[in-house]
Amino acid sequence: MGLEFITRVIKTSAIVSLIQLPFVAIYFDYRYGLGILLGCLWGVVNLHFLRSVVVCYTNLSGRSKRQLMLLLLLKFPLLYLVGYLLLKWSLFPVLSLVVGFTLIFAVILLKALGRLLLSLDEFKTEGSIFDRKGSGGAS
């Protein structure tokens, strides 16, 4: 699992939040559905900025301090101000925003479990020191 895993989590979370919107809006409350959508989108943007900051900081070919500072200034004050305003305005129930934000973690868990069950990230142990007989270890 690498950076493409995070990209897939971002895309899947956004799609799931869009899929839930009409169902929650029709069968429960449209403000709750919009709150889930906005909470998830806030979390998706946060995860995207976090990924970008880590990639920019660990770029060995040429770190751009200006780009890193711009990302940090966008992520921390601006993004968290938007999150604060979403909570402060009380246009959407707080619980819906929290559900939307935690939707990302549910997607991460389900994607990781799926990869585990499908053995997509299985490590090969051929020629491993644990497979050798008579290597001095207990048999």
Side-chain angles (χ1 to χ4, degrees), residues 82 84-92:
V82 169
Y84 172 76
L85 292 175
L86 279 173
L87 291 171
K88 185 73 175 165
W89 282 336
S90 67
L91 294 173
F92 309 103

Side-chain angles (χ1 to χ4, degrees), residues 5-131:
F5 180 76
I6 296 173
T7 304
R8 287 194 314 268
V9 165
I10 288 171
K11 288 178 183 177
T12 305
S13 298
I15 290 169
V16 168
S17 69
L18 285 172
I19 290 172
Q20 67 78 35
L21 180 62
F23 296 104
V24 174
I26 290 171
Y27 293 112
F28 191 65
D29 184 17
Y30 75 95
R31 292 183 321 129
Y32 202 85
L34 284 174
I36 293 173
L37 177 71
L38 288 176
C40 186
L41 290 180
W42 187 89
V44 161
V45 171
N46 189 23
L47 186 61
H48 175 73
F49 275 128
L50 183 63
R51 178 186 174 273
S52 298
V53 166
V54 170
V55 167
C56 183
Y57 184 74
T58 59
N59 187 5
L60 298 177
S61 63
R63 279 189 198 155
S64 172
K65 290 183 182 181
R66 178 177 290 156
Q67 183 182 9
L68 182 62
M69 290 306 293
L70 179 66
L71 285 170
L72 289 173
L73 286 173
L74 284 174
K75 180 181 175 1
F76 290 107
L78 187 62
L79 187 63
Y80 291 151
L81 176 67
V82 169
Y84 172 76
L85 292 175
L86 279 173
L87 291 171
K88 185 73 175 165
W89 282 336
S90 67
L91 294 173
F92 309 103
V94 174
L95 185 60
S96 68
L97 295 168
V98 172
V99 167
F101 183 74
T102 57
L103 183 65
I104 296 169
F105 300 111
V107 169
I108 290 172
L109 176 70
L110 291 174
K111 281 196 161 292
L113 284 175
R115 293 186 69 82
L116 180 69
L117 291 174
L118 295 173
S119 301
L120 295 176
D121 293 325
E122 195 169 297
F123 296 107
K124 297 185 182 204
T125 58
E126 295 175 10
S128 172
I129 59 171
F130 301 112
D131 291 338

